[in-house]
């Protein structure tokens, strides 16, 4: 491994990403998100936008760009400040505004007054500004709606009333429609308004009738396909996990059938682990802090656990190190499975050799025992240990697994995976 | 492993001609007793333990007095450690007639400990988890002048050379060749020399010469490498 690769291994602090904040936002949450990202008071950012708005509406453009491009997150200000506060006797009243906010409001009011005055004075531009304001108001309403829907999908499942959402969407569409219609009409005469609206509605209806069924069919197909794929993936993962933990414990229990205490211990440990795996979101059942975050640590820990459980010594050699990513976690699981197999079936031949190497972008793990070995082709189809937990798991995550076994000459499993960030 | 056992019993059967005199250096009496019990049955293993020592001074005295062929040397010893023993026995090691060879035997996980004794002139390194038959085999191998690497030592060496790749001042001397790396990697993966030979389609003798070359490079690194090593130990 080169020296350059070494440098990248040192843990850098994670890059702070810009998110729009959903908490305490006025419109799209852009200002709050930016303020949190830059470490400035929110009021300053909002003022900057207002000031920029007067530079030929530049602020509006920038704001819209941020709104579209930046994803909604939970960054920015941690504690939203509500406009209302609840008094001890349970009534809501307007919260006393702080000075910065008051100042911002005054500036906003003065700005709005100036704008309205300008529009009133200049009849020509007024004809364009009002429709534009209508359109942008409608757009903002619809976009916020989309934000909320997205947020609801990853925060709380308690759903907003459907009717309210529908109404909101309709109002947004109506605003945009009216704005556009007015925009078209002010160039001609008011009399054409009805004609323009009718034409628009006719065209929209036609398009909906023509393309609607096809669109619905396609979206249904897409959804069905995606569900199937997710389900298959999920099933394979569950099968691999159940095999790793439950079946092995059952084997151990059979082997220790006479020792009631040991059987009970194994069963209890397994129950706890399975419960954790099923009901904890991470699926590990352990605290995040306890999880190893580098490859060397993970290999050593897995080997230590297997050694404890099966009483077969594992000799671990690790060359180089790197932080774990998703693929490597899967590789570690496969390696652990290989270690368990080696300890169970090849443990009589002496210590199991575990070798892990990080070279550039490739991570290589080999697990070798000196046991009797076996013939992979002779293993029945329904035994999933090697096929699913090791080979299948590596392939699903973009790696390769090779298995070399000579009857009488031991077994070696070689796992290779590319690192996500080289 | 079954192969290994085969060689050991063969060695035992032919024990009359294969003899090696060994000194044990370790500060734990229990461990010395254990090793004695494992390898000390001379008529079976061909190994004759002619002396024991528990610290550096004792070790130097015993080794000079008995002139064994192989010294089993612990890395951590009171009085300066295995490196100090190697330093004070340097003349015995380089003797043209019956040189004393050292085999480091350690539980230490720290790469610098192990690399340190190898730099000091030890011919090999095995861990204390090694089985009796493997240890006997290693002793004979060292007696014949070959290097013996345990998987862990191979890992350390790969690691050490990987981290000094950056400024290749003297490529030939400093870096491991592709083949040497390959051999070391296979050792680290737990292959026996014989299996490596089969895997790479070369003879066992070639494997041994590759390993010896690695050992030589470890001892005779260039100035850059030496400076790094000395600085790490605050010797300059």
């Amino acid at each position: 491994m080169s020296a350059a690769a070494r440098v990248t291994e040192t843990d850098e602090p994670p890059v702070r990403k810009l998110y729009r904040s959903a908490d305490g936002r006025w419109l799209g949450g852009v200002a709050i998100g930016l303020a949190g990202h830059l470490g400035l008071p929110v009021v300053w950012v909002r003022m900057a936008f207002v000031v920029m708005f007067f530079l030929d509406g530049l602020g509006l453009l920038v704001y819209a760009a941020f709104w579209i491009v930046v994803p909604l997150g939970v960054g920015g200000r941690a504690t939203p400040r509500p406009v209302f506060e609840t008094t001890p006797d349970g009534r809501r009243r307007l919260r006393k505004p702080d000075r910065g906010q008051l100042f911002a409001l005054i500036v906003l009011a003065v700005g709005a007054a100036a704008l309205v005055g300008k529009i009133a004075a200049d009849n020509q531009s007024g004809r364009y500004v009002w429709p534009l304001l209508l359109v942008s108001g409608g757009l903002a309403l619809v976009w916020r709606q989309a934000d909320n829907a997205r947020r609801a999908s990853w925060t709380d499942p308690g759903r907003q009333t459907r009717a309210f959402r529908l109404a909101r969407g309709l109002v947004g569409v109506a605003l945009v429609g009216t704005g556009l219609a007015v925009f078209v009409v002010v160039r001609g005469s008011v009399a054409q308004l009805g004609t323009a609206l009718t034409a628009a509605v006719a065209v929209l209806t036609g398009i909906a009738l023509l393309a609607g069924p096809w669109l619905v069919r396609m979206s249904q197909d897409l959804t069905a396909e995606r569900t199937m794929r997710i389900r298959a993936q999920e099933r394979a993962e569950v099968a691999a996990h159940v095999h790793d933990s439950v079946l092995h414990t059952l084997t151990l229990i059979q082997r220790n059938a006479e020792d009631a205490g040991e059987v009970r211990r194994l069963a209890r440990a397994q129950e706890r682990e399975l419960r954790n795996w099923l009901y904890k979101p991470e699926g590990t059942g352990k605290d995040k802090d306890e999880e190893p975050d580098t490859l060397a640590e993970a290999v050593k820990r897995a080997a230590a656990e297997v050694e404890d459980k099966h009483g077969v010594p594992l000799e671990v050699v690790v060359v180089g190190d790197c932080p774990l990513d998703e693929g490597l976690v899967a590789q570690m699981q496969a390696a652990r499975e290989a270690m368990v197999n080696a300890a169970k079936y090849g443990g009589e031949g002496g210590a199991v050799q575990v070798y892990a190497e990080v070279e550039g972008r490739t991570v290589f793990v080999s697990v070798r025992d000196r046991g009797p070995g076996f013939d992979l082709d002779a293993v029945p189809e329904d035994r999933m240990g090697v096929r699913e937990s090791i080979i299948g798991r590596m392939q699903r995550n973009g790696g390769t697994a090779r298995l070399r076994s000579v009857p009488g000459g031991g077994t070696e499993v070689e796992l290779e995976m590319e690192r996500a960030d080289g | 492993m079954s192969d290994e056992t085969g060689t050991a019993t063969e060695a035992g059967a032919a024990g009359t001609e294969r003899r090696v005199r060994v000194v044990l250096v370790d500060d734990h009496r229990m461990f010395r007793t254990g090793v004695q019990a494992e390898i000390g049955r001379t008529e079976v293993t061909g190994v004759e333990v002619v002396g024991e020592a528990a610290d550096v001074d004792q070790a130097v005295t015993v080794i000079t007095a008995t002139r064994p062929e192989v010294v089993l040397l612990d890395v951590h010893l009171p009085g300066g450690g295995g490196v100090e023993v190697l330093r004070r026995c340097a003349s015995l090691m380089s003797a043209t007639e019956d040189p004393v060879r050292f085999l480091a035997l350690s539980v230490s996980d720290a790469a610098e400990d192990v690399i340190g004794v190898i730099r000091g002139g030890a011919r090999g390194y095995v861990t204390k988890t090694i089985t009796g038959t493997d240890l006997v085999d290693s002793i004979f191998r060292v007696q014949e002048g070959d290097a013996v690497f345990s998987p862990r030592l191979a890992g350390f060496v790969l690691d050490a050379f990987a981290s000094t790749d950056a400024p290749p001042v003297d490529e030939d001397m400093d870096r491991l060749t592709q083949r040497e790396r390959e051999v070391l990697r296979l050792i680290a993966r737990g292959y026996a020399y014989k299996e490596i030979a089969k895997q790479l389609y070369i003879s066992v003798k070639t494997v041994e010469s590759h390993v010896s070359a690695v050992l030589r490079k470890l001892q005779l690194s260039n100035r850059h490498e030496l400076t790094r090593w000395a600085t790490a130990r605050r010797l300059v």
Side-chain angles (χ1 to χ4, degrees):
Chain A
M1 176 194 327
S2 70
R6 286 243 143 190
V7 175
T8 56
E9 284 164 25
T10 56
D11 289 318
E12 293 163 22
V15 184
R16 281 189 62 189
K17 281 199 179 135
L18 177 61
Y19 285 109
R20 288 186 289 116
S21 171
D23 296 320
R25 63 179 178 182
W26 287 4
L27 198 56
V30 171
I32 288 191
L34 264 180
H37 185 68
L38 301 172
L40 296 171
V42 191
V43 181
W44 291 17
V45 181
R46 285 191 176 136
M47 291 233 325
F49 273 120
V50 171
V51 169
M52 277 201 289
F53 176 72
F54 287 104
L55 305 173
D56 286 336
L58 178 66
L60 200 68
L61 273 181
V62 173
Y63 196 96
F66 270 116
W67 197 346
I68 292 167
V69 172
V70 178
L72 191 66
V74 278
R77 282 276 291 267
T79 49
R81 305 182 54 159
V83 183
F84 296 99
E85 65 182 1
T86 314
T87 51
D89 54 323
R91 281 184 301 131
R92 294 175 89 208
R93 66 155 190 240
L94 206 59
R95 188 173 53 80
K96 262 198 269 177
D98 61 318
R99 262 151 92 200
Q101 222 161 13
L102 207 63
F103 182 63
L105 274 176
I106 290 170
V107 170
L108 209 68
V110 170
L115 191 70
V116 170
K118 191 167 185 276
I119 290 164
D122 184 0
N123 207 16
Q124 197 58 37
S125 66
R127 285 168 56 182
Y128 295 101
V129 169
W130 287 118
L132 265 179
L133 280 180
L134 272 178
V135 169
S136 48
L139 276 177
L141 210 62
V142 173
W143 269 81
R144 257 202 83 146
Q145 169 91 349
D147 267 2
N148 280 354
R150 196 150 134 207
R151 190 182 167 208
S153 72
W154 47 258
T155 49
D156 58 329
R159 51 183 68 168
Q160 241 174 333
T161 48
R162 255 192 128 106
F164 178 67
R165 275 206 237 166
L166 195 68
R168 210 170 142 165
L170 283 178
V171 170
V173 171
L175 273 177
V176 173
T178 322
L180 285 177
V182 171
F183 193 72
V184 171
V185 166
V186 289
R187 311 183 69 179
S189 74
V190 183
Q192 283 170 352
L193 177 61
T195 330
L197 278 178
T198 317
V201 167
V203 168
L204 280 176
T205 316
I207 289 175
L209 280 176
L210 283 174
W214 180 72
L215 276 175
V216 168
R217 169 71 55 83
M218 197 172 72
S219 108
Q220 276 172 349
D221 282 358
L222 267 177
T223 318
E225 199 266 343
R226 202 173 57 182
T227 322
M228 291 252 290
R229 210 181 46 232
I230 291 174
R231 209 173 282 162
Q233 187 105 9
E234 194 82 344
R235 201 178 292 138
E237 276 312 311
V238 169
H241 182 271
V242 167
H243 176 274
D244 286 5
S245 55
V246 181
L247 288 189
H248 282 311
T249 309
L250 287 179
T251 316
L252 282 175
I253 286 178
Q254 281 175 26
R255 205 172 286 173
N256 296 310
E258 283 80 46
D259 187 354
E262 179 68 6
V263 167
R264 217 172 293 132
R265 187 189 69 77
L266 285 169
R268 208 179 302 123
Q270 186 52 60
E271 182 198 331
R272 192 171 47 233
E273 200 201 307
L274 195 61
R275 233 173 242 291
N276 280 338
W277 187 76
L278 283 174
Y279 303 122
K280 290 263 173 81
E282 271 83 25
T284 56
K286 290 172 189 157
D287 288 338
K288 262 280 172 244
D289 303 343
E290 282 180 35
E291 288 297 296
D293 43 9
T294 70
L295 180 87
E297 222 179 300
V299 172
K300 282 175 191 155
R301 181 169 313 185
E305 281 169 14
V306 172
E307 202 170 81
D308 282 351
K309 205 164 174 181
H310 297 268
V312 172
L314 276 84
E315 270 182 31
V316 183
V317 175
V318 182
V319 174
D321 199 0
C322 69
L324 280 179
D325 58 45
E326 210 173 302
L328 296 187
V329 169
Q331 189 183 23
M332 282 303 102
Q333 285 166 345
R336 195 199 152 92
E337 174 64 19
M339 289 180 214
V340 171
N341 277 342
K344 259 170 53 177
Y345 304 115
E348 279 85 51
V352 174
Q353 304 280 349
V354 179
Y355 174 68
E357 182 176 10
V358 182
E359 199 184 29
R361 292 180 50 97
T362 316
V363 176
F364 174 85
V365 177
S366 126
V367 177
R368 176 183 164 84
D369 68 63
R370 306 289 194 127
F374 69 100
D375 183 6
L376 181 60
D377 297 330
V379 175
E381 281 292 324
D382 59 330
R383 300 294 296 273
M384 302 306 277
V386 171
R387 236 176 247 121
E388 264 314 300
S389 281
I390 299 178
I391 301 174
R393 183 177 268 155
M394 289 300 285
Q395 279 167 357
R396 276 200 301 281
N397 288 281
T400 56
R402 258 181 310 153
L403 198 114
R404 210 184 4 236
S405 185
V406 187
T411 305
E412 178 164 22
V413 179
E414 299 177 352
L415 309 171
E416 229 176 295
M417 182 76 80
E418 291 279 308
R419 286 167 62 191
D421 53 335
Chain B
M1 192 63 60
S2 52
D3 287 345
E4 227 71 353
T5 325
T7 359
T9 39
E10 273 164 42
T16 41
E17 58 209 62
R18 266 185 108 186
R19 274 291 162 96
V20 60
R21 299 167 70 244
V22 172
V23 164
L24 284 179
V25 182
D26 196 297
D27 54 335
H28 292 290
R29 206 171 60 83
M30 286 280 281
F31 184 75
R32 292 201 305 271
T33 317
V35 174
Q36 259 286 20
E38 278 282 331
I39 67 170
R41 289 169 299 139
T42 318
E43 62 283 359
V44 183
T45 57
V47 175
E48 187 187 350
V49 178
V50 295
E52 289 182 21
D55 62 32
V56 171
D57 291 330
Q58 257 183 51
V60 175
T61 319
V62 170
I63 292 166
T64 322
T66 57
R67 288 299 298 265
E69 287 155 292
V70 175
V71 177
L72 276 182
L73 183 66
D74 189 17
V75 176
H76 291 286
L77 277 181
V83 182
E84 180 65 16
V85 177
L86 289 164
R87 203 180 57 78
R88 282 159 64 176
C89 292
S91 58
L92 294 176
M93 270 192 284
S94 53
T96 43
E97 239 171 83
D98 302 332
V100 180
R101 308 208 197 263
F102 288 82
L103 176 60
L105 183 61
S106 173
V107 282
S108 171
D109 267 359
E112 60 265 25
D113 282 344
V114 179
I115 305 259
V117 294
I118 296 291
R119 289 240 166 81
R123 299 294 299 177
Y125 162 86
V126 290
T127 42
K128 285 185 173 175
T129 54
I130 193 169
T131 60
T133 47
D134 282 355
L135 184 57
V136 170
D137 199 49
S138 307
I139 290 172
F140 277 111
R141 191 162 265 158
V142 167
Q143 182 212 9
E144 283 153 22
D146 283 327
V148 175
F149 275 29
S150 72
R152 185 156 287 171
L153 174 56
F156 288 157
V157 173
L158 281 171
D159 226 7
F161 275 94
S163 57
T164 57
D165 257 0
V169 187
D170 183 355
E171 294 230 0
D172 291 343
M173 211 54 231
D174 222 15
R175 298 175 69 179
L176 301 179
T177 64
Q178 203 52 45
R179 211 39 190 255
E180 285 160 3
R181 254 167 205 275
E182 242 171 289
V183 168
L184 277 188
R185 216 167 261 152
L186 287 172
I187 293 175
R189 282 161 65 174
Y191 283 68
Y193 286 15
K194 218 187 291 173
E195 292 166 326
I196 296 173
K198 217 161 106 192
Q199 180 99 19
L200 298 179
Y201 302 106
I202 53 180
S203 72
V204 177
K205 268 262 130 343
T206 319
V207 175
E208 281 167 357
S209 77
H210 280 311
V211 174
S212 295
V214 173
L215 200 61
R216 201 180 64 242
K217 289 180 183 187
L218 263 182
Q219 288 166 302
L220 298 172
S221 302
N222 67 11
R223 261 167 296 145
H224 163 76
E225 175 55 24
L226 267 182
T227 318
R228 261 178 55 109
W229 184 72
T231 321
R233 264 158 211 78
R234 299 176 198 283
L235 298 179
V236 283

